[in-house]
């Protein structure tokens, strides 16, 4: 069983959307709810694409100095440049990894897509090595797909 219950978070996001909350509040809700799942979800970052740059619009967990990431840079920028979600089991094995802290062992990036358009991404840092199974990743994708519609 995955740790994350994506359906519950999607329901919360739909509820918030019905109350006409702001984009910032939707993003904050998503970040906070994913992180609340607990380990292996250590920190959650919502980077949204503004032109050729990913901009950190919301996060829950550890602060990061990487508030703007050019497309193509790091794991986050690679996801956008290649159009592929990134599941990095061991960040020490990745050459272009942008480190935020020394505790992070693994990282999952799931793109927020609306049709052919990439709107941004959900970036999860974990202190646990290689924890994101396909089932776990699928739960994060449910949240990303909901955001693509509601934002
Ligand atoms: N590690 C990311 C940078 C963002 S932080 O993890 C919040 C990367 O390599 O793109």
């Amino acid at each position: 069983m995955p740790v994350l219950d994506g359906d519950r978070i999607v329901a919360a996001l739909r509820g918030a959307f019905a109350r006409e909350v702001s984009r910032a509040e939707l993003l904050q809700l998503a970040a906070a709810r994913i992180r609340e799942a607990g380990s292996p979800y250590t920190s959650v970052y919502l980077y949204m694409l503004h032109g050729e740059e990913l901009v950190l619009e919301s996060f829950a967990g550890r602060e990061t100095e990487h508030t703007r990431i050019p497309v193509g840079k790091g794991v986050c920028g690679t996801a956008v440049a290649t159009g592929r979600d990134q599941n990095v089991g061991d960040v020490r094995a990745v050459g272009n990894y942008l480190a935020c802290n020394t505790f992070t062992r693994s990282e999952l990036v799931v793109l927020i897509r609306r049709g052919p358009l990439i709107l941004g991404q959900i970036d999860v840092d974990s202190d646990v090595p290689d924890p994101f199974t396909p089932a776990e990743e699928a739960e994060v994708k449910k949240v990303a797909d909901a955001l693509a519609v509601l934002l």
Side-chain angles (χ1 to χ4, degrees):
M1 276 284 282
V3 172
L4 195 73
D5 184 346
D7 290 329
R8 268 190 67 186
I9 300 176
V10 170
L13 288 170
R14 290 202 181 119
F17 181 80
R19 295 194 305 276
E20 300 188 349
V21 303
S22 66
R23 166 189 173 96
E25 284 171 289
L26 276 178
L27 291 173
Q28 188 53 44
L29 181 64
R33 286 297 184 96
I34 295 171
R35 186 186 180 235
E36 275 169 18
S39 181
Y41 295 86
T42 305
S43 299
V44 181
Y45 307 90
L46 273 286
Y47 285 100
M48 302 307 290
L49 195 56
H50 294 257
E52 286 299 297
E53 236 178 16
L54 287 160
V55 178
L56 183 65
E57 292 198 21
S58 200
F59 76 97
R62 296 190 187 112
E63 282 188 24
T64 177
E65 66 190 71
H66 302 294
T67 54
R68 289 175 172 268
I69 301 173
V71 170
K73 284 271 166 66
V75 178
C76 295
T78 298
V80 178
T82 60
R84 287 174 174 271
D85 295 344
Q86 305 287 308
N87 189 340
V88 179
D90 178 2
V91 293
R92 291 168 299 188
V94 177
N96 65 350
Y97 173 66
L98 300 171
C100 297
N101 58 74
T102 53
F103 309 108
T104 303
R105 289 276 78 91
S106 57
E107 178 163 10
L108 174 68
V109 175
V110 176
L111 292 167
I112 302 170
R113 296 168 172 279
R114 188 183 292 157
L117 216 64
I118 295 174
L119 301 185
Q121 62 187 219
I122 299 175
D123 171 29
V124 184
D125 275 9
S126 178
D127 291 357
V128 179
D130 203 13
F132 298 110
T133 60
E136 198 65 58
E137 200 175 328
E139 295 303 309
V140 179
K141 191 161 164 42
K142 285 181 189 173
V143 181
D145 289 348
L147 286 173
V149 174
L150 300 176
L151 285 176

